[in-house]
Amino acid sequence: MLFIAETCGGSIMDSTSVNGMRSELHIDGRRLSHLDFGGPGRPLLALHGHLYEWQTWAHLAAALAPMRRVIAPDQRGHGDSERAASYTRDDYVNDAIALLDHLGIKQAVTLGHSGGGITAFQIAARHLERVSAIVNVEGPVCDLDDGPSALSFVLSMPCTAPDRQTLLDAIGPMAPTLGDKLRPTPDGGWRLPFHPQDTVASERGTRGDHWADWTSTTCPALFVFARNSQVIAAEDAGRSSPGAPTRKWSSSTATTSSTPPTPTASPPPSRPS
């Protein structure tokens, strides 16, 4: 069962002050950091997109408590999680399953934004028994573009700087977005919450036709898009009629169609942020 929602005005991803327990696990010697907001509610695994981190979901965690126990990792190479040797789709899915296993969670709602949204529905496609529902916030289902990364602008950013202000000045227009995510380094300097080369490699890894993953599950699924989205055009995220025989969307490079379960809707292809 698939539903579409459109957001306008506020954001479900604004940061706010909320209590959560920072913890970590090690996967093949690599640290994966996460925030567990706890509580008696049913678990919800919240996966941020590129350039972001766990605090993407802080406001949502507060709003959903105590009905939902939100677990928000810093995905590999982001925030306080260490860099990884690769950033494939399987890598992200395996990290999520490892985290659920570490916390003793047998089943959760998977929620993700952009690249995290792709991971959210791919977890369900590959580990159906672990997912009770999917919330995909603008996670592209098909992106066949083979051009430069939409995030290639980060390659001009320095990874580190001797002080915070120097790093803020260096990242220029991205300072309002990244300023509260910068991290101090052991040598007294400051760093970005991601590595630019890793980010571009990860974004390229989101490309492809993920239609089979998106349509292979039978659990409830919600597709969310923003009215003023910079990721997906509103006209591309329309809803087809319940019972329609096909779900179709188009991009500059391809048009894809298939036969999904009903009711149907049309999540469009677009690059994740």
Side-chain angles (χ1 to χ4, degrees):
M1 183 177 295
L2 179 74
F3 304 93
I4 282 193
E6 179 178 332
T7 65
C8 58
S11 169
I12 67 172
M13 298 182 296
D14 292 337
S15 176
T16 189
S17 178
V18 46
N19 293 324
M21 180 176 293
R22 168 76 71 176
S23 188
E24 62 185 44
L25 71 152
H26 288 80
I27 305 171
D28 297 327
R30 172 181 49 83
R31 182 179 65 249
L32 185 73
S33 181
H34 64 279
L35 263 287
D36 186 345
F37 292 93
R42 291 182 292 174
L44 184 154
L45 180 64
L47 305 168
H48 63 79
H50 293 112
L51 311 185
Y52 292 90
E53 57 180 17
W54 72 268
Q55 66 177 260
T56 295
W57 307 109
H59 181 77
L60 185 67
L64 292 180
M67 296 179 296
R68 290 286 181 183
R69 172 191 173 188
V70 175
I71 298 103
D74 285 342
Q75 299 210 70
R76 56 173 51 209
H78 292 78
D80 289 334
S81 290
E82 291 179 320
R83 297 178 65 186
S86 62
Y87 295 86
T88 67
R89 293 286 81 227
D90 284 343
D91 289 336
Y92 282 106
V93 170
N94 292 339
D95 282 352
I97 292 298
L99 178 56
L100 292 178
D101 288 345
H102 174 73
L103 296 174
I105 296 172
K106 294 182 178 180
Q107 190 177 69
V109 172
T110 55
L111 159 67
H113 169 241
S114 196
I118 301 174
T119 305
F121 67 75
Q122 287 184 328
I123 297 169
R126 302 172 192 183
H127 302 274
L128 180 59
E129 75 285 356
R130 307 300 297 270
V131 178
S132 57
I134 306 162
V135 183
N136 176 6
V137 184
E138 302 193 313
V141 175
C142 183
D143 181 1
L144 302 180
D145 189 354
D146 60 357
S149 170
L151 299 178
S152 59
F153 65 90
V154 302
L155 295 175
S156 63
M157 297 180 182
C159 295
T160 62
D163 58 75
R164 186 173 182 273
Q165 189 58 53
T166 298
L167 188 53
L168 286 171
D169 292 343
I171 63 179
M174 289 298 294
T177 299
L178 300 177
D180 62 344
K181 303 173 184 64
L182 303 181
R183 299 295 206 276
T185 60
D187 62 0
W190 286 77
R191 68 171 179 87
L192 295 175
F194 55 84
H195 193 284
Q197 282 79 9
D198 293 353
T199 297
V200 170
S202 180
E203 188 277 331
R204 286 174 175 158
T206 65
R207 299 183 186 185
D209 185 347
H210 310 306
W211 177 258
D213 288 336
W214 178 238
T215 60
S216 65
T217 62
T218 56
C219 65
L222 176 68
F223 179 73
V224 182
F225 63 95
R227 177 171 294 176
N228 297 320
S229 173
Q230 297 181 358
V231 178
I232 293 175
E235 58 268 21
D236 290 334
R239 182 187 304 176
S240 63
S241 300
T246 62
R247 184 185 340 190
K248 182 180 294 185
W249 69 88
S250 63
S251 71
S252 59
T253 57
T255 300
T256 306
S257 64
S258 183
T259 305
T262 58
T264 61
S266 53
S270 183
R271 296 184 185 179
S273 59

